Amino acid sequence: MYELGDLVQMKKPHACQTNRFEIIRLGADIKIKCMGCGHIVMIPRNDFSKKSKKVLVTSKEVDTSKEEHYLIINK
């Protein structure tokens, strides 16, 4: 369902008013990074499933030249 590097939309925006987040860690907890300001948030997987809206861009389709805070992951 989710993969490392996916850009997801959450139901509520971050404090910087951006609603795009990158998944940077998967496990019992999911770590996401705000694509607007670069702030990192770690939330339990159950909460993430409830608070996420949809996957905007899969990790294979992300254009890293247009995403300032995107972590380049070895693919």
Side-chain angles (χ1 to χ4, degrees):
M1 185 166 183
Y2 303 111
E3 294 182 21
L4 284 177
D6 285 353
L7 296 180
V8 296
Q9 180 181 11
M10 303 302 279
K11 289 182 180 174
K12 293 186 179 180
H14 189 243
C16 68
Q17 300 305 313
T18 304
N19 209 9
R20 294 167 51 96
F21 291 85
E22 175 194 4
I23 298 175
I24 57 175
R25 180 183 182 274
L26 289 171
D29 295 325
I30 294 180
K31 191 182 283 188
I32 56 176
K33 183 160 93 169
C34 177
M35 297 306 290
C37 64
H39 187 255
I40 295 174
V41 180
M42 185 177 241
I43 56 178
R45 184 178 283 267
N46 291 339
D47 290 346
F48 179 80
S49 297
K50 292 176 189 173
K51 294 178 181 181
S52 65
K53 200 169 192 179
K54 63 181 175 180
V55 175
L56 296 172
V57 183
T58 62
S59 60
K60 298 171 186 152
E61 300 170 353
V62 174
D63 184 5
T64 56
S65 64
K66 294 182 181 178
E67 301 292 346
E68 178 183 353
H69 294 288
Y70 191 81
L71 287 177
I72 298 174
I73 300 171
N74 295 334
K75 295 181 181 179

